[in-house]
Amino acid sequence: MKVLVIGSGAREHALVRALTLDPTVAAVIAAPGNPGTDALALNVPVDATDPASVVALAEQHEVDLVVVGPEAPLVAGVADALREAGIRCFGPGAEAARLEGSKAYAKEVMAAAEVPTAMAHVCTSEEQLAAALDAFGAPFVVKDDGLAAGKGVVVTEDRAAAMEHGLACLAKGDDARVVIEEYLDGPEASLFCICDGSTVVPLDLAQDFKRIFDGDEGPNTGGMGAYSPLGWAPEGLVDDVVARVAQPVVDEMARRGTPFVGVLYVGLALTSRGPRVIEFNVRFGDPETQSVLARLESPLAVLLAAAADGRLDEHDPLRWSPQASVTVVVAAEGYPAAPRTGVEIGGLEEIAAGDLAESVHVLHAGTTWADDGRLVSSGGRVLSVVALGEDLEQARARAYAAVDLVELEGGHHRTDIALRASRGEIHA
């Protein structure tokens, strides 16, 4: 099987790495990829949000499967164009991708499917925004209705800050909307569900860390780390979420004539009233994917091809490593507000050749090659350092030992990824 992966981040590097470990895969092409994928696959340029360009690339390389990583190409209709051209694709069409592209649409679908989620108001004016904030009270949860690369949500006790973010969302255009939600208590969890339009196959649970600083302080980011599995999660949680959330949503999308084929990412709050959906994404989440795929022992290409073909009901039960996985994101100076780019990156060869090599791998996110051949930073989240261990404590120790070897002037990371879970301090 020849597989084309669309995207350029650490999520796509993780996908490429997992696909190259699949014995059914003969070659992987990454478009546009990054310096990390270049060591495993053929990197080729592409305008990922131009459906015609992606179709042309897939036809040129005669690929057997296209896996779309980021959300923007899905919302732009890349998956639709591929299927119309007769090319097997893993990823939802543009209409189904509205589950992530519009928070208001996702709420509408959840209501129709009777999915447990937070109460919400969809606002189109300053007056509605102010009334909704006052109706729910603090902590205020303010969500941009459209795509915001994981950074469109503000959770704050400060009403003025909530109002400022809401107004910024409304200022994006005449049709702009902002969603105000009730605050959900309890620990959060992420569940990726592989869907073929009718059948749902869940992956293992993970938890990510969205705030920039230790202790969940500071502004939201695209994610500063993750771990899997969740030893503290209630028994039967995955089956419960599939039965009460993922399957009803997939059924509702099929009823609407927009079958969902791809990853349904279910962001959960495990509240005192039971699991509640915080949000849906329509692709693998970053950085949870890095930790989850590190533990998946079943062939990834076989799983994704079965979903693309509508054959998930025939797929064998997934196999998982019993080990724990911890991912720590190394970010650029100034991230998330104004990341510094063009900074040389070092230490990766030492990680790959040293004692940590068998248990740690480094995934590229915001990296590029400088004109003189040096590896330099090109984005806010620069690297994902992923470690496996017999338990979270060992995986954490290995991940942070590797992070200490990374050389990036001004770079920073959280030091508490999976710390409370390793100490048994999280309870649902």
Side-chain angles (χ1 to χ4, degrees):
M1 196 184 315
K2 186 184 292 186
V3 185
L4 170 62
V5 177
I6 304 298
S8 62
R11 164 186 49 223
E12 287 74 36
H13 191 174
L15 288 166
V16 167
R17 180 179 181 273
L19 289 166
T20 58
L21 296 174
D22 185 333
T24 69
V25 174
V28 180
I29 300 160
N34 61 41
T37 62
D38 196 33
L40 301 171
L42 172 66
N43 279 5
V44 294
V46 74
D47 180 353
T49 57
D50 178 15
S53 296
V54 176
V55 169
L57 182 65
E59 291 177 336
Q60 175 189 347
H61 290 275
E62 300 180 330
V63 300
D64 302 293
L65 174 67
V66 180
V67 179
V68 183
E71 60 273 26
L74 295 169
V75 173
V78 164
D80 297 298
L82 287 163
R83 291 192 183 98
E84 288 170 6
I87 299 169
R88 180 198 272 163
C89 176
F90 180 78
E95 183 64 23
R98 290 179 65 202
L99 282 172
E100 179 171 357
S102 169
K103 301 293 188 297
Y105 177 74
K107 287 292 186 185
E108 175 192 321
V109 171
M110 280 189 268
E114 298 182 349
V115 167
T117 186
M119 293 185 292
H121 291 299
V122 179
C123 306
T124 58
S125 69
E126 181 176 352
E127 293 74 18
Q128 292 177 355
L129 169 62
L133 292 175
D134 292 338
F136 283 131
F140 302 102
V141 181
V142 186
K143 296 184 176 183
D144 192 332
D145 182 51
L147 294 178
K151 289 171 281 189
V153 180
V154 165
V155 181
T156 179
E157 297 278 350
D158 186 341
R159 187 184 184 282
M163 194 73 185
E164 180 182 4
H165 181 65
L167 290 174
C169 295
L170 291 176
K172 291 185 176 181
D174 293 340
D175 297 327
R177 298 184 292 182
V178 63
V179 178
I180 311 302
E181 290 187 356
E182 67 170 325
Y183 177 76
L184 297 175
D185 63 342
E188 295 185 8
S190 302
L191 181 65
F192 300 143
C193 295
I194 308 300
C195 310
D196 69 358
S198 58
T199 301
V200 175
V201 173
L203 302 187
D204 215 342
L205 289 162
Q207 186 180 63
D208 77 329
F209 296 75
K210 294 184 174 65
R211 302 266 186 177
I212 188 67
F213 299 127
D214 286 7
D216 292 326
E217 298 290 336
N220 270 352
T221 71
M224 293 299 293
Y227 68 93
S228 177
L230 307 188
W232 50 266
E235 186 176 352
L237 176 62
V238 170
D239 291 341
D240 185 40
V241 172
V242 169
R244 299 178 62 201
V245 177
Q247 191 65 60
V249 166
V250 168
D251 292 344
E252 173 64 17
M253 296 301 286
R255 187 190 67 78
R256 293 173 178 231
T258 54
F260 189 94
V261 178
V263 180
L264 181 64
Y265 165 105
V266 183
L268 296 162
L270 306 185
T271 76
S272 54
R273 296 175 292 154
R276 295 289 185 273
V277 174
I278 300 172
E279 66 174 350
F280 288 138
N281 291 333
V282 297
R283 36 71 189 182
F284 285 104
D286 182 346
E288 298 99 319
T289 298
Q290 289 89 298
S291 281
V292 171
L293 291 187
R295 298 183 51 244
L296 180 65
E297 294 183 339
S298 297
L300 180 62
V302 174
L303 174 65
L304 303 188
D309 291 342
R311 297 183 292 102
L312 276 180
D313 59 338
E314 303 171 10
H315 195 278
D316 293 334
L318 298 183
R319 303 191 310 275
W320 294 95
S321 166
Q323 291 186 300
S325 173
V326 171
T327 298
V328 179
V329 170
V330 178
E333 180 180 0
Y335 179 75
R340 177 186 172 196
T341 59
V343 181
E344 186 171 3
I345 302 165
L348 304 191
E349 292 181 358
E350 186 176 356
I351 296 171
D355 294 339
L356 296 169
E358 290 188 5
S359 57
V360 176
H361 58 275
V362 179
L363 302 173
H364 292 236
T367 69
T368 191
W369 296 113
D371 291 340
D372 59 5
R374 294 177 301 125
L375 182 69
V376 299
S377 61
S378 62
R381 293 186 295 171
V382 181
L383 301 168
S384 286
V385 178
V386 186
L388 290 169
E390 295 306 310
D391 52 29
L392 285 176
E393 185 175 8
Q394 186 180 63
R396 270 179 47 80
R398 289 171 172 173
Y400 282 108
V403 167
D404 288 342
L405 296 175
V406 174
E407 300 167 7
L408 178 68
E409 183 180 333
H412 59 102
H413 60 274
R414 283 184 59 157
T415 66
D416 63 348
I417 304 301
L419 178 59
R420 292 185 60 224
S422 71
R423 293 175 172 172
E425 296 175 357
I426 302 180
H427 306 282

